Structures are given as structure tokens and as C-alpha cells.
Amino acid sequence: MARLLAIGDIHGCLPALKKLLAAVKLTTEDQLVTLGDYVHRGPDTPGVLDLLIDLHRENRVISLMGNHDELYLEAHDDGRKLSKKHRQFFQATCHNYFETNSHIFVHANVVPTIPMAEQSTYTLRWEKLYGPLGCKPHFSGKTIVCGHTAQKSGLVLNVGYLLCIDTFCYGGQWLTCADLTTQIIYQANLHGDVRRSPMPLISANPYQS
């Protein structure tokens, strides 16, 4: 069975990413969406980028651009310390959002009242769920899947119309893959631990404005 999968903010946490992918058992039939922020903070940014490039060659993968990826690319704008393949990954492979019949995938947030094609890159890459936009349903009725607003408990936030899967791996918590087809959450950390659990029940919105 083909699955729709999403992985939250990786932030250079290559050991956790490898453990997570092994637990998920990604197949060539699955559609994987990586939500951005591949760089900074963790132990191996280049290794994460190399692994993602390899995944794109062998699997159905959509990669989004996060705010840290934007900063990383800008910091290496002079061409130093950034390989050609890593630059091409950001510039030619990464998207601002991905939309299916049922889900909207973004790094950060959306303006709830406008179509995805009209969203600004600032909103999609930078707006926190506790910021001015808040955490609101999109008018399309599709479920939003995002990262960026770190869930420092290590637990996925599910408010029904939005799922936040940045679970603070670099800060000592977990890297998350949400299987949106089977409603299973896979997680791995930098210590090599792996856990699997059902999708959390819908909870109250902690960012209600």
C-alpha cells in the first residue's frame, strides 16, 4: 500500500534521520514530503543534504524550503563552502509548499483565507503558529501539515485541521515522520532510540488567537 508520509524539521540530525527512515521502511510507492529546515543546529548538515539528494534519486520525494535553509543559502551566496549539488538541491529541488486533494504541506504556516499559489514565501517559511496569523484552518478544508513551531515536549500537535511535526530533535527530543495514510507516528532521536505510536487524538489549539 502506497503511503503519504511527512518528516518534520531535521536540522542536521543525520543519525536520527537514518534511524527514522529505517523504521518507516520507505518504498518506491510511498510519497514522502520533507518539510524543510534541513540545516543548522544538529551534528551533520552536509550529511543530511547528501541523504536527501539520494532519496530524491530513488523515491517519490517532495522537499520544501524552510527558513533556516533560506538563511543557509544566503550565507553561502558567494559560492564558498557550499557544494554545487547542495546549492542545486535548494534552488532546483525545494518547493515552497505541496498540496494534495486532502493535505497542504508547508514549513511554517499559511494565511487561512487565500489559495496556496497566492501565499507569500515569508508566511510559508517564517510565520510561527503563535504569531499574528495564529493557528487556523485553511478555507480549502484540507489538513495542514507543518513544522517550524517546535513542540518541545517531543509530541506531535494535532488540532484536527493542522498537524505540527517539528518535535525538537536537535534540542534533545525526537525527529518525526507522520504516516498520514495509516495514522501512525514514527520517531527517532540522536541517541538511536526509535518509537512508534498511533496518531495523537485531536487536542485543543494552544495557539488560538
Side-chain angles (χ1 to χ4, degrees):
M1 176 180 65
R3 299 171 294 173
L4 179 60
L5 308 166
I7 293 179
D9 303 36
I10 301 168
H11 279 303
C13 296
L14 181 62
L17 178 58
K18 287 181 174 179
K19 283 284 187 179
L20 187 63
L21 290 170
V24 170
K25 296 182 171 61
L26 187 67
T27 76
T28 56
E29 299 301 313
D30 296 327
Q31 175 67 71
L32 173 63
V33 185
T34 59
L35 298 182
D37 274 9
Y38 312 114
V39 305
H40 296 154
R41 294 176 169 165
D44 193 350
T45 282
V48 166
L49 297 177
D50 286 341
L51 180 51
L52 290 173
I53 290 167
D54 289 341
L55 283 176
H56 273 268
R57 292 193 188 106
E58 301 166 5
N59 299 276
R60 296 175 61 208
V61 184
I62 296 289
S63 290
L64 307 185
M65 178 84 90
N67 61 306
H68 279 265
D69 307 316
E70 178 183 311
L71 291 171
Y72 189 77
L73 190 59
E74 288 175 355
H76 297 88
D77 195 46
D78 58 3
R80 294 178 298 173
K81 296 181 183 180
L82 185 62
S83 69
K84 181 179 179 181
K85 66 177 180 177
H86 291 170
R87 183 176 297 278
Q88 287 178 334
F89 171 74
F90 289 125
Q91 293 179 332
T93 304
C94 289
H95 302 265
N96 287 323
Y97 68 92
F98 178 62
E99 196 170 4
T100 71
N101 290 333
S102 55
H103 291 80
I104 292 169
F105 298 87
V106 295
H107 175 65
N109 207 342
V110 301
V111 176
T113 56
I114 65 174
M116 293 308 298
E118 298 175 17
Q119 303 277 342
S120 72
T121 55
Y122 183 85
T123 298
L124 298 173
R125 297 179 188 175
W126 288 89
E127 285 281 3
K128 297 284 190 181
L129 296 178
Y130 52 75
L133 286 177
C135 174
K136 298 175 182 176
H138 191 255
F139 80 93
S140 66
K142 297 179 181 183
T143 301
I144 301 164
V145 183
C146 68
H148 187 58
T149 302
Q151 305 301 304
K152 295 186 177 180
S153 65
L155 302 175
V156 168
L157 174 67
N158 180 14
V159 298
Y161 54 81
L162 181 143
L163 195 69
C164 183
I165 60 172
D166 176 359
T167 42
F168 204 45
C169 184
Y170 76 89
Q173 292 288 356
W174 300 86
L175 180 63
T176 292
C177 177
D179 182 338
L180 302 167
T181 303
T182 64
Q183 299 291 290
I184 297 293
I185 297 294
Y186 297 87
Q187 294 184 306
N189 63 24
L190 285 172
H191 302 295
D193 303 314
V194 177
R195 65 185 187 183
R196 169 179 164 164
S197 60
M199 182 73 69
L201 298 175
I202 296 173
S203 65
N205 180 1
Y207 308 115
Q208 190 68 50
S209 57

